[in-house]
């Protein structure tokens, strides 16, 4: 049995069965999804090699959930953009950006729950004065997308492998423009860092 602070070990066997060593029972992907929703920490190990395969199992859970009727959360444009980032120069920054965005979203969700608790017992007029949860959610999503787009611009301003342009008859002007572009990028990076700091 795992200690309270340690994640539960789930063993995956060659026959694809999952065994929860904490409860000494076989579990399904649906059971693991329920554990995630309850905030229970676990790692999945290959029973034979002992390799950590948590990432692939969690991805499989998302795949299963996305294929259930009426449960699609990942829009097609997002999936296309995500696929496009694999092997791209942006690949390294995407995981931490998505993680920060989800943390910020979770904090907003907690705030909405508190607002809803406070709203119980208020008069209809008081309820009308409160910002609607959907409007606040939309605003948070808009801010996250804005940050993401700014990050994309920073890393795609100079495409990888782009051929240098022919020498300009006015090299001083070109150098000044490049300096302005570089300063603009630095300002965007600083702005993004400040936004990330406020979210954490």
């Amino acid at each position: 049995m795992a200690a309270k602070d340690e994640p539960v070990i789930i063993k995956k066997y060659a026959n694809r069965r999952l065994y929860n060593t904490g409860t000494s029972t076989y579990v399904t992907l649906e059971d693991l999804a329920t554990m995630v929703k309850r905030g229970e920490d676990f790692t999945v190990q290959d029973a034979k090699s002992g390799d950590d395969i948590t990432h692939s199992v969690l991805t499989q859970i998302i795949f299963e959930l996305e294929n259930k009727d009426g449960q699609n959360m990942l829009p097609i444009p997002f999936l296309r953009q995500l696929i496009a980032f694999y092997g791209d120069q942006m690949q390294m920054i995407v995981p931490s950006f998505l993680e920060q965005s989800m943390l910020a979203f979770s904090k907003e969700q907690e705030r909405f729950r508190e607002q809803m608790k406070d709203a119980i017992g208020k008069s209809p007029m008081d309820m009308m004065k409160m910002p609607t949860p959907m409007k606040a959610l939309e605003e948070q999503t808009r801010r996250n997308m804005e940050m993401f787009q700014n990050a994309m611009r920073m890393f795609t301003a100079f495409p990888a492998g782009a051929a240098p342009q022919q020498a300009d008859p006015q090299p001083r002007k070109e150098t000044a423009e490049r300096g302005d572009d570089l300063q603009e990028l630095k300002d965007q990076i600083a702005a993004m860092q400040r936004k990330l700091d406020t979210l954490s």
Side-chain angles (χ1 to χ4, degrees):
M1 193 102 174
K4 282 186 179 180
D5 293 338
E6 294 177 4
V8 174
I9 304 295
I10 309 292
K11 292 193 175 182
K12 186 175 185 182
Y13 291 91
N15 61 5
R16 296 187 180 181
R17 293 192 77 185
L18 298 160
Y19 184 76
N20 184 331
T21 61
T23 59
S24 301
T25 56
Y26 284 99
V27 292
T28 63
L29 289 176
E30 196 172 333
D31 294 328
L32 295 185
T34 302
M35 288 174 71
V36 169
K37 290 174 184 177
R38 287 196 304 243
E40 295 177 32
D41 194 12
F42 62 84
T43 58
V44 186
Q45 294 178 357
D46 184 285
K48 188 175 182 181
S49 67
D51 292 343
D52 187 332
I53 54 171
T54 309
H55 185 275
S56 63
V57 170
L58 292 176
T59 307
Q60 191 178 353
I61 291 170
I62 291 170
F63 177 79
E64 295 286 335
L65 291 172
E66 282 290 309
N67 279 301
K68 282 189 178 179
D69 289 337
Q71 289 213 30
N72 305 98
M73 276 204 305
L74 304 175
I76 288 173
F78 172 81
L79 291 171
R80 289 184 193 280
Q81 196 167 22
L82 195 59
I83 290 166
F85 285 135
Y86 283 94
D88 185 83
Q89 57 190 357
M90 283 301 301
Q91 184 171 341
M92 288 177 67
I93 196 173
V94 170
S96 94
F97 177 81
L98 292 176
E99 187 176 357
Q100 289 299 318
S101 295
M102 289 306 289
L103 283 171
F105 187 80
S106 295
K107 286 179 183 176
E108 287 295 311
Q109 187 182 34
E110 285 304 313
R111 195 166 62 80
F112 297 146
R113 284 183 181 149
E114 288 304 315
Q115 282 180 350
M116 294 311 288
K117 277 184 195 172
D118 293 343
I120 295 169
K122 289 184 186 261
S123 71
M125 289 302 290
D126 289 337
M127 291 285 286
M128 287 175 68
K129 291 175 189 172
M130 290 180 66
T132 61
M134 283 309 295
K135 196 169 184 181
L137 261 176
E138 286 170 11
E139 177 60 21
Q140 180 63 37
T141 304
R142 185 192 63 74
R143 286 199 304 264
N144 284 351
M145 285 308 297
E146 205 173 80
M147 280 176 56
F148 191 60
Q149 284 164 355
N150 286 340
M152 296 305 104
R153 277 192 221 105
M154 282 189 288
F155 286 87
T156 56
F158 306 106
Q165 294 181 346
Q166 294 296 323
D168 195 302
Q170 299 172 334
R172 286 183 183 176
K173 184 181 177 184
E174 186 180 322
T175 305
E177 286 173 0
R178 280 186 188 161
D180 290 344
D181 287 344
L182 186 58
Q183 186 56 49
E184 188 179 338
L185 279 174
K186 286 179 180 176
D187 293 343
Q188 286 178 350
I189 289 170
M192 185 180 160
Q193 185 59 54
R194 284 194 297 274
K195 284 183 182 177
L196 286 173
D197 290 342
T198 60
L199 293 175
S200 56

